[in-house]
């Protein structure tokens, strides 16, 4: 805008000078030769062309500098001390910073409130689980236990989600046995695994990786929970197929891979590229067969990115779904886990 306005001012002034000179020559120099006027006009236009070319070159240099700065994270108004209306821009930046600080404090207060509320809710939930054991009606006891277990899982997800959204995410990366993480997650989901009649195969051996055990268990809870939720339902007249859950590791020289596979509904090709997006529920939600918030896999992928791991998925609709988590080994994994500038961690 600055260069455009300056160029228009120069063009207007030059046009006025040229028009005034030609009018003066035409009306007041009676015996003047027209050839001289044409010659002077050519010289004038040539000078204007040179000045315009120089101005255009400065303008292009300015635009290149602006485009280079646009790719940086710093505030341009603080990188260009001589641009117009600097004081106004600095004032607006300060106002926006105060607004962002206020919103950050409000968001943090809300997260603290939700976290405290979730912890308080655990007390009556634990009491409910104990009281459920005293119900003599077996069918009623199992139905109530199922709902209480669902509440327990949702509260745990709520609390971990609050922690995940915090900029001061508590991550403790250390050498961890994957077998312990898998056993803890299976224990967390044992009620539903038994209720749905799953066959479980685990072959993780003594694999050890650098990760945060608590967050790793949370991610495994999400993957196993999805296997339970999306267990294939038989068509009318067909016998119910036994659910199978397989968890195993494959080690290479520079990385270890953890696989979690089930024989459930599978994922449609139209959905598979978006399952890690925030709030994406896919076609299974829209057909009314399943209830989903679309947050579980999104948070799992975000955690993997924070830890420096990679997660990707393969699936064939109606046959299987296989998740793969890749861990780097040795010091490379430790460096990746603390690399806050690392972009992307989700592959499909």
């Amino acid at each position: 805008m600055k260069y455009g306005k300056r160029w228009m001012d120069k063009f207007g002034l030059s046009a006025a000078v040229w028009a005034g000179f030609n009018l003066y020559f035409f009306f007041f120099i009676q015996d003047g030769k027209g050839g001289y006027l044409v010659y002077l006009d050519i010289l004038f236009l040539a000078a204007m062309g040179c000045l315009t070319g120089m101005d255009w070159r400065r303008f292009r240099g300015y635009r290149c500098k602006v485009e280079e700065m646009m790719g940086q994270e710093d505030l341009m108004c603080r990188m260009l001390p001589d641009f117009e209306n600097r004081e106004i821009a600095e004032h607006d930046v300060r106002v926006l910073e105060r607004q962002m600080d206020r919103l950050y404090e409000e968001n943090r207060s809300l997260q603290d409130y939700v976290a405290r509320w979730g912890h308080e809710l655990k007390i009556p939930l634990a009491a409910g689980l104990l009281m459920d054991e005293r119900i003599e009606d077996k069918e009623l006891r199992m139905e109530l236990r199922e709902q209480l277990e669902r509440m327990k899982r949702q509260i745990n997800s709520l609390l971990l989600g609050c922690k995940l959204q915090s900029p001061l995410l508590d991550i403790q990366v250390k050498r961890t046995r994957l077998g312990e993480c898998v056993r803890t997650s299976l224990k967390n989901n044992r009620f539903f695994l038994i209720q749905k009649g799953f066959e479980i195969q685990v072959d993780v051996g003594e694999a050890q990786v650098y990760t945060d055990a608590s967050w790793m268990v949370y991610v495994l809870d999400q993957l196993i929970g999805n296997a339970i939720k999306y267990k294939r339902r038989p068509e009318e007249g067909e016998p119910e197929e036994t659910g199978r859950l397989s968890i195993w590791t494959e080690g290479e020289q520079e990385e270890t891979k953890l696989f979690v596979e089930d024989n459930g509904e599978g994922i449609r090709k139209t959905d598979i590229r978006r399952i890690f997006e925030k709030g994406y529920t896919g076609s299974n939600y829209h057909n009314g067969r399943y209830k989903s918030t679309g947050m579980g896999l999104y948070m799992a992928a975000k955690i993997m990115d924070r830890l420096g791991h990679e997660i990707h998925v393969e699936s064939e609709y109606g046959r299987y779904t296989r998740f793969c988590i890749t861990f780097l080994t040795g010091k490379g994994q430790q460096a990746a886990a603390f690399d806050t500038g690392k972009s992307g961690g989700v592959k499909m």
Side-chain angles (χ1 to χ4, degrees):
M1 293 297 295
K2 178 178 69 173
Y3 274 95
K5 185 177 183 301
R6 183 182 300 176
W7 188 84
M8 290 299 297
D9 291 342
K10 288 182 179 180
F11 178 80
L13 179 61
S14 301
V17 171
W18 177 80
F21 178 77
N22 278 268
L23 290 174
Y24 178 82
F25 190 92
F26 182 77
F27 286 106
F28 296 100
I29 304 180
Q30 301 294 336
D31 57 347
K33 295 183 179 180
Y36 292 157
L37 179 61
V38 174
Y39 178 71
L40 292 175
D41 285 344
I42 292 175
L43 290 179
F44 180 82
L45 293 175
M48 286 302 302
C50 291
L51 293 175
T52 301
M54 294 173 61
D55 202 50
W56 173 254
R57 184 177 179 181
R58 287 195 296 271
F59 173 74
R60 288 301 304 166
Y62 168 80
R63 289 305 307 172
C64 290
K65 186 176 181 180
V66 168
E67 291 175 1
E68 179 182 354
M69 291 181 176
M70 289 292 286
Q72 301 180 12
E73 297 296 330
D74 297 327
L75 294 174
M76 292 182 62
C77 66
R78 294 173 179 172
M79 297 173 61
L80 298 174
D82 58 344
F83 79 100
E84 294 180 357
N85 301 322
R86 174 182 171 83
E87 295 82 3
I88 296 176
E90 286 280 5
H91 169 268
D92 290 347
V93 168
R94 289 193 295 270
V95 171
L96 290 174
E97 286 178 342
R98 288 195 294 270
Q99 292 177 354
M100 292 297 295
D101 290 340
R102 184 169 62 254
L103 291 174
Y104 169 76
E105 290 299 328
E106 292 176 356
N107 183 57
R108 190 175 66 174
S109 298
L110 178 60
Q111 288 182 4
D112 292 341
Y113 170 76
V114 172
R116 288 195 299 270
W117 176 83
H119 283 294
E120 290 294 330
L121 193 58
K122 278 188 170 184
I123 299 175
L125 177 61
L129 288 169
L130 292 175
M131 294 171 63
D132 178 68
E133 297 295 333
R134 298 164 56 186
I135 298 177
E136 296 182 359
D137 188 329
K138 183 177 180 180
E139 183 177 352
L140 177 60
R141 183 171 68 247
M142 292 300 294
E143 290 179 356
L144 181 58
R145 177 67 181 273
E146 179 180 353
Q147 300 307 317
L148 292 173
E149 289 288 345
R150 291 183 186 277
M151 291 175 60
K152 182 180 178 181
R153 288 184 58 185
Q154 294 300 325
I155 291 174
N156 289 335
S157 295
L158 174 69
L159 294 174
L160 288 172
C162 288
K163 291 176 62 178
L164 183 62
Q165 297 302 321
S166 173
L168 302 176
L169 179 62
D170 182 20
I171 295 180
Q172 299 180 3
V173 176
K174 59 183 179 180
R175 196 161 184 82
T176 305
R177 292 182 182 274
L178 282 178
E180 295 179 1
C181 297
V182 172
R183 283 191 292 272
T184 301
S185 183
L186 290 173
K187 182 179 179 181
N188 293 342
N189 293 274
R190 67 182 182 275
F191 175 81
F192 294 104
L193 290 170
I194 295 173
Q195 183 192 51
K196 299 295 184 180
F198 268 78
E199 292 181 356
I200 303 173
Q201 296 179 346
V202 178
D203 183 16
V204 295
E206 298 297 323
Q208 297 185 27
V209 296
Y210 284 97
T211 189
D212 185 297
S214 60
W215 287 113
M216 193 65 221
V217 169
Y218 172 79
V219 172
L220 289 172
D221 283 347
Q222 296 300 317
L223 302 184
I224 295 175
N226 279 351
I228 297 170
K229 180 190 297 184
Y230 298 112
K231 179 184 177 183
R232 185 160 56 245
R233 299 182 181 181
E235 300 294 336
E236 186 176 353
E238 292 183 355
E240 184 173 358
E241 183 179 358
T242 301
R244 291 192 300 274
L245 178 66
S246 301
I247 304 175
W248 74 95
T249 57
E250 293 181 4
E252 298 180 6
Q253 188 173 9
E254 296 183 356
E255 63 185 22
T256 299
K257 294 184 178 181
L258 174 66
F259 294 89
V260 180
E261 180 179 319
D262 65 78
N263 64 334
E265 289 280 350
I267 306 172
R268 299 179 188 273
K269 291 183 179 180
T270 55
D271 296 331
I272 197 168
R273 292 186 175 276
R274 300 188 60 189
I275 62 172
F276 293 111
E277 294 180 8
K278 185 177 183 179
Y280 186 73
T281 55
S283 55
N284 283 334
Y285 173 82
H286 298 293
N287 63 23
R289 296 186 65 180
Y290 305 97
K291 301 298 182 182
S292 176
T293 61
M295 295 297 293
L297 289 179
Y298 162 74
M299 289 196 292
K302 193 170 183 179
I303 291 170
M304 291 293 94
D305 183 51
R306 293 281 188 96
L307 292 174
H309 309 326
E310 295 180 350
I311 181 171
H312 69 268
V313 60
E314 299 176 11
S315 182
E316 183 176 341
Y317 185 69
R319 293 193 61 190
Y320 74 94
T321 300
R322 182 188 303 125
F323 287 92
C324 175
I325 299 174
T326 303
F327 307 85
L328 300 178
T329 57
K331 296 181 179 180
Q333 166 59 24
Q334 299 181 65
F338 291 102
D339 182 10
T340 56
K342 183 178 182 291
S343 61
V346 179
K347 292 186 176 181
M348 287 180 286

